[in-house]
Amino acid sequence: ETLEETLPVQQVTVTRTMLPPRLRIQLVDRQAVARATRRTPKGEEAGYVDAEGNWIAMPEGRGVRLGKGDLRLRVVGWRERHRPALAKLLDNLDRIGADLSEIRFDPDGSMRLQTTRLGDVHLGAADDRLERQVKVVEHLSTNLPAQLRGQRPRLIDLTDPDQPELVMAKPAASSADGKPLRTENTRSSAEAVD
């Protein structure tokens, strides 16, 4: 095993000098960018992830450098197979928006984002559409269609990023005494980004 595999480090550099005989080892700690959870045979485990989507276990996390900010972002359902997609999402945080609070991987492999402005954003399975989906999330974060401004979507389905679907919660109808009668959902297609 190498030091990079056994220690919570991002990089190991080994330098050897002949005179005087020395071996210098430099370690670069991983920098946690989000809190994370994953399922294990023993139950749910808490930890961190770095910018490349690597898992950092909590005991190791005690010696890990925490990223900028207070680690508000959560990654739920981390698995090694999701690492490339997670790394791509983390690399695009500035495009997705500062209000991103959660990246969730469901047991079936589908991904969801939770944002303050857009609500629940379903991305579906991690595949070659992810870059396009990020672009649509970026666009919708700043340019919701005019009839939807001031409303927060309940759900945005971006499994097909060329035909995003928005599910809006209709304002509840009120009875004569002002109590809500029921809440309905409406579906609307948003314009796709070129």
Side-chain angles (χ1 to χ4, degrees), residues 12-47:
V12 177
T13 306
V14 179
T15 310
R16 187 175 106 179
T17 59
M18 298 303 269
L19 291 174
R22 286 194 185 145
L23 190 61
R24 177 174 292 190
I25 301 172
Q26 287 183 301
L27 305 174
V28 177
D29 290 332
R30 287 187 190 160
Q31 185 170 332
V33 296
R35 293 176 293 131
T37 60
R38 67 178 176 180
R39 283 252 169 244
T40 67
K42 295 178 182 178
E44 190 169 281
E45 179 184 1

Coordinates of all heavy atoms in Angstrom, one line a residue, residues 12-47:
V12 N 1.6 12.9 -1.8 CA 2.8 12.6 -1.1 C 4.0 12.8 -2.1 O 4.0 12.3 -3.2 CB 2.8 11.1 -0.7 CG1 4.1 10.7 0.0 CG2 1.6 10.8 0.2
T13 N 5.0 13.5 -1.6 CA 6.2 13.7 -2.4 C 7.4 13.2 -1.6 O 7.6 13.6 -0.4 CB 6.4 15.2 -2.7 OG1 5.2 15.8 -3.3 CG2 7.6 15.5 -3.6
V14 N 8.2 12.4 -2.2 CA 9.3 11.8 -1.5 C 10.6 12.3 -2.3 O 10.7 12.1 -3.5 CB 9.3 10.2 -1.5 CG1 10.5 9.7 -0.8 CG2 8.0 9.8 -0.8
T15 N 11.5 12.9 -1.5 CA 12.8 13.3 -2.1 C 13.9 12.7 -1.3 O 13.9 12.6 -0.1 CB 12.9 14.9 -1.9 OG1 11.7 15.5 -2.4 CG2 14.1 15.4 -2.7
R16 N 14.9 12.2 -2.1 CA 16.0 11.5 -1.5 C 17.3 12.3 -1.9 O 17.5 12.7 -3.0 CB 16.1 10.1 -2.1 CG 17.1 9.3 -1.4 CD 17.1 7.9 -1.9 NE 18.2 7.7 -2.8 CZ 18.6 6.6 -3.4 NH1 17.8 5.6 -3.3 NH2 19.6 6.5 -4.1
T17 N 18.1 12.5 -0.9 CA 19.4 13.2 -1.1 C 20.5 12.2 -0.8 O 20.4 11.4 0.2 CB 19.6 14.5 -0.3 OG1 19.5 14.2 1.0 CG2 18.5 15.5 -0.7
M18 N 21.6 12.3 -1.5 CA 22.7 11.3 -1.3 C 23.6 11.8 -0.2 O 24.1 11.0 0.6 CB 23.5 11.1 -2.6 CG 22.6 10.5 -3.7 SD 21.9 8.9 -3.2 CE 23.2 7.8 -3.8
L19 N 23.9 13.1 -0.3 CA 24.9 13.7 0.7 C 24.2 14.9 1.4 O 24.0 15.9 0.7 CB 26.2 14.0 0.1 CG 27.0 12.8 -0.3 CD1 28.3 13.3 -1.1 CD2 27.4 12.0 0.8
P20 N 24.0 14.9 2.6 CA 24.0 13.8 3.5 C 22.8 12.9 3.2 O 21.8 13.4 2.6 CB 23.8 14.5 4.9 CG 23.1 15.8 4.6 CD 23.5 16.2 3.2
P21 N 22.9 11.6 3.5 CA 21.8 10.7 3.1 C 20.5 11.0 3.9 O 20.5 11.0 5.2 CB 22.4 9.3 3.5 CG 23.6 9.6 4.4 CD 24.0 11.0 4.1
R22 N 19.5 11.4 3.2 CA 18.2 11.8 3.8 C 17.1 11.4 2.9 O 17.2 11.3 1.7 CB 18.1 13.3 4.0 CG 18.9 13.8 5.1 CD 18.5 15.2 5.4 NE 19.5 15.7 6.4 CZ 19.9 16.9 6.5 NH1 19.5 17.8 5.7 NH2 20.7 17.2 7.5
L23 N 16.0 11.1 3.5 CA 14.7 10.9 2.8 C 13.7 11.9 3.4 O 13.4 11.9 4.6 CB 14.3 9.4 3.1 CG 13.1 8.9 2.3 CD1 13.5 8.9 0.8 CD2 12.8 7.5 2.7
R24 N 13.2 12.8 2.5 CA 12.3 13.8 2.9 C 10.9 13.5 2.3 O 10.8 13.2 1.1 CB 12.7 15.2 2.4 CG 11.7 16.3 2.8 CD 12.2 17.6 2.4 NE 13.4 17.8 3.3 CZ 14.0 19.0 3.4 NH1 13.6 20.0 2.6 NH2 15.0 19.1 4.2
I25 N 9.9 13.4 3.2 CA 8.5 13.1 2.8 C 7.7 14.3 3.1 O 7.6 14.8 4.2 CB 8.0 11.9 3.5 CG1 8.9 10.7 3.3 CG2 6.6 11.6 3.1 CD1 8.6 9.5 4.1
Q26 N 7.0 14.8 2.0 CA 6.1 15.9 2.2 C 4.7 15.4 1.9 O 4.4 14.7 0.9 CB 6.4 17.0 1.2 CG 7.6 17.8 1.5 CD 7.8 18.9 0.5 OE1 7.9 18.7 -0.7 NE2 7.8 20.2 1.0
L27 N 3.8 15.8 2.9 CA 2.4 15.4 2.7 C 1.5 16.6 2.6 O 1.7 17.6 3.2 CB 1.9 14.6 4.0 CG 2.8 13.4 4.4 CD1 2.3 12.9 5.8 CD2 2.7 12.3 3.4
V28 N 0.6 16.5 1.6 CA -0.4 17.6 1.4 C -1.8 17.0 1.9 O -2.2 16.0 1.3 CB -0.5 18.0 0.0 CG1 -1.6 19.1 -0.2 CG2 0.9 18.5 -0.5
D29 N -2.3 17.6 2.9 CA -3.6 17.1 3.5 C -4.7 17.3 2.5 O -4.7 18.2 1.7 CB -4.0 17.8 4.8 CG -3.1 17.5 5.9 OD1 -2.6 16.4 6.0 OD2 -2.9 18.4 6.8
R30 N -5.7 16.4 2.6 CA -6.9 16.6 1.8 C -7.7 17.7 2.5 O -7.6 17.9 3.7 CB -7.8 15.4 1.8 CG -7.3 14.2 1.0 CD -8.3 13.1 1.0 NE -7.8 12.0 0.4 CZ -8.3 10.8 0.6 NH1 -9.3 10.6 1.3 NH2 -7.7 9.7 0.0
Q31 N -8.4 18.5 1.7 CA -9.2 19.6 2.2 C -10.6 19.3 2.0 O -11.1 19.1 0.9 CB -8.8 20.9 1.4 CG -9.5 22.1 2.0 CD -9.0 23.4 1.4 OE1 -7.8 23.4 1.0 NE2 -9.8 24.4 1.4
A32 N -11.3 19.1 3.2 CA -12.8 18.8 3.1 C -13.5 20.0 2.6 O -13.3 21.2 3.0 CB -13.2 18.5 4.5
V33 N -14.5 19.7 1.7 CA -15.3 20.8 1.1 C -16.8 20.6 1.5 O -17.6 21.5 1.3 CB -15.2 20.9 -0.4 CG1 -13.7 21.3 -0.8 CG2 -15.6 19.6 -1.1
A34 N -17.2 19.4 2.0 CA -18.5 19.2 2.4 C -18.6 18.1 3.4 O -17.8 17.2 3.5 CB -19.3 18.7 1.1
R35 N -19.7 18.2 4.3 CA -20.0 17.1 5.2 C -20.6 16.0 4.3 O -21.2 16.2 3.3 CB -20.9 17.5 6.2 CG -20.3 18.5 7.2 CD -21.3 19.1 8.2 NE -22.3 19.9 7.5 CZ -23.7 19.7 7.7 NH1 -24.1 18.8 8.5 NH2 -24.5 20.5 7.0
A36 N -20.5 14.7 4.8 CA -21.1 13.6 4.0 C -21.5 12.5 4.8 O -21.1 12.3 6.0 CB -20.0 13.1 3.0
T37 N -22.4 11.7 4.3 CA -22.9 10.4 4.9 C -22.9 9.3 3.9 O -23.0 9.6 2.7 CB -24.3 10.5 5.5 OG1 -25.2 10.8 4.5 CG2 -24.3 11.6 6.7
R38 N -22.7 8.1 4.4 CA -22.8 7.0 3.5 C -23.3 5.8 4.3 O -23.2 5.7 5.5 CB -21.4 6.6 2.9 CG -20.4 6.1 3.8 CD -19.1 5.8 3.1 NE -18.0 5.4 4.1 CZ -16.8 5.0 3.7 NH1 -16.5 5.0 2.5 NH2 -15.9 4.7 4.6
R39 N -23.9 4.8 3.5 CA -24.4 3.6 4.2 C -23.3 2.6 4.2 O -22.6 2.4 3.2 CB -25.5 3.0 3.4 CG -26.8 3.8 3.6 CD -27.7 2.9 4.4 NE -28.8 3.7 4.9 CZ -29.1 3.9 6.2 NH1 -28.3 3.4 7.1 NH2 -30.1 4.5 6.6
T40 N -23.1 1.9 5.3 CA -22.1 0.8 5.4 C -22.9 -0.4 6.0 O -24.0 -0.2 6.5 CB -21.0 1.2 6.4 OG1 -21.5 1.4 7.7 CG2 -20.3 2.5 5.9
P41 N -22.3 -1.5 6.1 CA -23.0 -2.7 6.7 C -23.3 -2.4 8.2 O -24.2 -3.0 8.7 CB -21.9 -3.8 6.6 CG -21.1 -3.4 5.4 CD -21.1 -2.0 5.4
K42 N -22.6 -1.5 8.8 CA -22.8 -1.2 10.2 C -23.8 -0.1 10.4 O -24.1 0.3 11.5 CB -21.5 -0.8 10.9 CG -20.5 -1.9 11.0 CD -19.2 -1.5 11.6 CE -18.2 -2.6 11.6 NZ -16.9 -2.1 12.2
G43 N -24.3 0.5 9.3 CA -25.3 1.6 9.4 C -24.8 2.8 8.7 O -23.8 2.7 7.9
E44 N -25.3 4.0 9.0 CA -24.9 5.2 8.4 C -23.6 5.7 9.0 O -23.5 5.7 10.3 CB -26.0 6.3 8.5 CG -25.7 7.5 7.7 CD -26.9 8.4 7.6 OE1 -27.9 8.1 6.8 OE2 -27.0 9.4 8.3
E45 N -22.7 6.2 8.2 CA -21.4 6.7 8.7 C -21.3 8.1 8.2 O -21.6 8.5 7.1 CB -20.3 5.9 8.0 CG -18.9 6.3 8.4 CD -17.8 5.6 7.7 OE1 -18.0 4.7 6.9 OE2 -16.6 5.9 8.0
A46 N -20.8 9.0 9.1 CA -20.6 10.4 8.8 C -19.1 10.6 8.5 O -18.3 10.0 9.1 CB -21.0 11.3 10.0
G47 N -18.9 11.6 7.6 CA -17.5 11.9 7.3 C -17.5 13.2 6.5 O -18.4 14.1 6.6

